[in-house]
Amino acid sequence: TDTSTSDYVLDSIVSLYNEWCDLTDSDQDKDELYETAEKVLEDKSFSALDINTLVSRELDELNDSYFLSAAVNEMDDEEIEFQEIDIGMTLGYRNRNNIVLHNSEGHLVGDCMKDGKIIIKDDLTHPLAREMEGGEIIVEGDVLENSSIGNHMKGGKITLKGDFNGFVMGRNMEGGEIYIEGDINGNFY
C-alpha cells in the first residue's frame, strides 16, 4: 500500500483551500467561516497523512484557519497526530475526530468542540476548550500562566494530568467536567 501523499492530492486540498478563501472574508464570524469550509470539503476524500503533509509544508495561512479544523473533521481517518508545528488559532473547532498534539502550539484548541478526543502531550500555554460542548480533552503537562481552560464550557470532559497554574478555569461554565490531577495554583470559578 502506498503511504505517501501524492502531489495531486495535495494540489487538490490547496485548490479547495483557495476556493474557501475566495468564498470567505474577515467580516464573517467563526461559524460562517467553518460552515463554508464544510461545504467546500463535502464529499471529498483525503487522509490524516495528506493533511499532515500539507501542514508540514508550512502553509501558515492554512494552519491558522477554520478550514484546517473542517478538514480534520472531514478526513477519512479517525485520528491525526501533529508533531512540532504551530497549529494556529482554531484546531479542533467543532471537533469530531481524535487529535494528538506533540510539541505543538495552538490558541483556542478545542473551541466549540463537539465530540472526539484531543490529547495534548505537553504543557499548555494558550486558552483551551472555550465553549466546549462535548468530547474529551487530555492535557498531559501543566497549564501555564496566562492560560485558561473550559471557559463558557457547556459539556464534555477535560482532564489535566499536571498542575493548573493558569489564569482562569471554568469561567461562566454551564456544564461539563474538569478534572485536575495535580495542584491548583490559579483562579477557578
Side-chain angles (χ1 to χ4, degrees):
T1 309
D2 184 14
T3 59
S4 64
T5 298
S6 72
D7 287 338
Y8 173 77
V9 171
L10 291 178
D11 289 345
S12 296
I13 297 172
V14 169
S15 175
L16 293 168
Y17 172 71
N18 290 332
E19 179 183 341
W20 174 76
C21 288
D22 291 342
L23 294 171
T24 59
D25 61 59
S26 60
D27 293 333
Q28 291 177 295
D29 69 21
K30 61 187 179 183
D31 291 322
E32 291 173 311
L33 292 168
Y34 180 84
E35 288 163 7
T36 302
E38 273 188 323
K39 288 176 188 167
V40 167
L41 292 166
E42 190 174 45
D43 298 324
K44 304 300 186 274
S45 180
F46 46 88
S47 69
L49 178 62
D50 298 335
I51 294 170
N52 242 317
T53 301
L54 190 64
V55 168
S56 70
R57 291 189 177 184
E58 299 180 21
L59 297 173
D60 293 333
E61 310 82 34
L62 171 67
N63 296 354
D64 193 15
S65 74
Y66 291 94
F67 183 88
L68 180 59
S69 284
V72 168
N73 282 334
E74 298 299 322
M75 69 183 180
D76 298 333
D77 300 310
E78 293 180 9
E79 180 172 292
I80 188 167
E81 290 195 37
F82 290 104
Q83 300 274 348
E84 297 184 34
I85 61 166
D86 181 355
I87 50 161
M89 289 187 61
T90 59
L91 185 66
Y93 183 78
R94 294 189 183 178
N95 189 56
R96 296 188 307 263
N97 280 323
N98 298 326
I99 301 170
V100 180
L101 303 174
H102 301 270
N103 301 316
S104 299
E105 285 293 318
H107 186 76
L108 294 178
V109 170
D111 189 23
C112 299
M113 183 171 168
K114 298 206 179 284
D115 200 0
K117 182 185 282 189
I118 297 175
I119 299 172
I120 300 170
K121 297 282 192 175
D122 309 290
D123 292 337
L124 182 70
T125 58
H126 294 289
L128 175 76
R130 185 184 67 185
E131 299 180 30
M132 182 178 180
E133 297 176 20
E136 180 179 12
I137 298 177
I138 299 170
V139 179
E140 294 185 355
D142 296 331
V143 172
L144 304 179
E145 290 180 25
N146 298 322
S147 300
S148 62
I149 59 173
N151 292 338
H152 304 277
M153 188 173 174
K154 297 175 179 102
K157 177 181 172 182
I158 300 171
T159 301
L160 172 61
K161 295 191 178 270
D163 296 337
F164 178 78
N165 302 303
F167 175 68
V168 67
M169 170 180 35
R171 178 179 278 163
N172 298 319
M173 187 174 166
E174 298 173 17
E177 304 166 349
I178 300 175
Y179 297 94
I180 311 294
E181 294 179 6
D183 295 330
I184 299 175
N185 303 308
N187 299 314
F188 63 95
Y189 292 86

